[in-house]
Amino acid sequence: MTISIAIVGAGPSGFYAAQALVDRGVDCHIDLIETLPTPYGLIRGGVAPDHQHTKRVTRTYEETAGEPQVNFYGNVEVGRDVSILELRSMYDAVILAIGMPMDRGLNLIGGYKRGVYGAAEFVGWYNGHPAYRDLDPLLEDKRVAIIGNGNVALDIGRLLVKTREEMTVTDMPDYAIDKIQNSPISDVYIFGRRGPAEAKFTNVELREIGRLADCAPIVDPDELPDEVPAGFSERDQRLRERNLATFRAFSEMDPSNKSKRLHFHFRSMPLEILGGDRVEGLRLQRTVVEDGEAMGTGRYYDVLCGTIIAAVGYRMGPLEGVPLDGRRGNVVNDGGRVEDGFFVVGWAKRGATGVISSNKPDGDQVAEIIANEITPGNRPGRPTFEEHLTSRGIRWVSFEDWRYIDEAEIAAAAEGMPRKKFVSVDEMITFLDKEESRDKS
Ligand SMILES: Cc1cc2nc3c(=O)[nH]c(=O)nc-3n(C[C@H](O)[C@H](O)[C@H](O)COP(=O)(O)OP(=O)(O)OC[C@H]3O[C@@H](n4cnc5c(N)ncnc54)[C@H](O)[C@@H]3O)c2cc1C
């Protein structure tokens, strides 16, 4: 008997879970259900558009989608088009792989002002995510502040200071390239509450900042400690030493031949967003770092800026039938198990940490439990799910449909660019319906 499995979310963790089930030889049907008509989650909508080499991991997911057991149902939002409880009544096992799509938020005084954005929306905007393409961020001042000391902050900073020429090999939509390139931005500030040794940048991404065509990194050498403080694992110690060496090299660079600057400010805790209806600046408190924690010193300083982007983490939104951990913001689980027959993988399981490959072991873990514990054939799975979608009038997008979209995007790209993305769901569905009627005629 065949086990019927629904995986909700077609990002890396959803694909890894599907592949783990296939690799274990579990006799199953796997339905990957995705809210967007396009697969791949943050690989398409989060990973920086100038890091195409990273996006190539989708080739592996394409192979998974081609496995005979696997079906893709794009343009189906769980919670709107079908509930978790309905899915659990249709499938022997349901695996949640929905990531953490929302900004954690800053909770600063003045956070409501125009010109304040979260990384999820800002990154979604420059990546052509249909939910954020209309963000139209305020980029009218030459100074932008980014809050956060992780790679997402670096991605955003880098993309705001690259030249138009540097952007010609990306798949950033034209509206975002034009908006950034036509803005007066010359100085981007990246603020971290702790010191340079505590920053979470990976060294490869950090070094890239020193190689930009028309932007110089600015670091105050007095901010740099002679060595990494004690208390890190050996691996972390090495990583941080590399970052400190990179910051030292940055502090010795001559910025005078570049027209833009990316400033790293450490030991700076944001307190208040200044201005009237729109952002005019950011007030910060100096900190000292004790045992890895930032403590306020009562000394303040202001930085003038017209835009503030908070890259301080992600969280999940509420979804009926899914227990959330109020503190960590992830799905309550025990080794990937939420309840009998109900599982979670990826960021939704562990929180918003780790690189793409960190999501793979989650799939292996859940596949093992399913292989050992789930009794097949109790629930009908795919036919009932399709009946449900049809009865609701939902136009789902198959993987073959996605291939049409993919091909059209690649064909529409300007020379040198990898693709020109569709940025609205309506556009994608209209295009697919036209292709379908062309095939029939
Ligand atoms: C801005 C950014 C840049 C990054 N850059 C890198 C990088 O360069 N290199 C690297 O290794 N890692 C990078 N990462 C991390 C990497 O993207 C994550 O580890 C990975 O995407 C997490 O996979 P996931 O499947 O758990 O979540 P996601 O990738 O978020 O996938 C979740 C999927 O579920 C879908 N979904 C959500 N809700 C529903 C619903 N209700 N119904 C149906 N579907 C739903 C979403 O549309 C999405 O497709 C980056 C992360 C971010 C935020």
Side-chain angles (χ1 to χ4, degrees), residues 9 11-13 34-35 41-42 46-47 54 78 97-99 314 346-347 354-356 359:
S13 64
E34 166 59 48
T35 192
L42 285 170
V47 170
T54 307
V78 173
I98 57 177
Y314 296 84
W347 275 19
V355 291
I356 297 162
N359 299 291

Side-chain angles (χ1 to χ4, degrees), residues 13 16-17 20 95-96 333 335-336 343-351 353 356-369:
S13 64
Y16 288 133
I95 304 174
L96 267 189
N333 73 93
F343 306 92
V344 62
V345 291
W347 275 19
K349 175 197 171 199
R350 305 186 322 275
T353 58
I356 297 162
S357 57
S358 319
N359 299 291
K360 199 162 180 286
D362 297 344
D364 297 334
Q365 189 180 36
V366 161
E368 187 174 341
I369 306 176

Side-chain angles (χ1 to χ4, degrees), residues 7-16 32-48 51 53-55 57 61 72-73 75-82 84 87 96-101 119-120 123-124 126-127 129 151-153 155-156 158 202 205 313-314 316 318-319 345-359 362:
I7 299 180
V8 184
S13 64
F15 277 101
Y16 288 133
L32 265 168
I33 304 167
E34 166 59 48
T35 192
L36 290 174
T38 54
Y40 310 142
L42 285 170
I43 308 298
R44 180 176 166 101
V47 170
H51 280 182
H53 51 282
T54 307
K55 296 188 189 245
V57 66
Y61 308 150
F72 174 74
Y73 295 87
N75 200 30
V76 179
E77 182 175 326
V78 173
R80 181 193 65 193
D81 302 326
V82 60
I84 288 289
L87 283 180
L96 267 189
I98 57 177
M100 285 207 155
V123 169
Y126 69 53
N127 262 318
H129 189 298
N151 280 351
V152 175
D155 282 348
I156 297 170
R158 188 180 69 245
T202 55
E205 291 232 353
Y314 296 84
M316 291 184 64
L319 185 57
V345 291
W347 275 19
K349 175 197 171 199
R350 305 186 322 275
T353 58
V355 291
I356 297 162
S357 57
S358 319
N359 299 291
D362 297 344

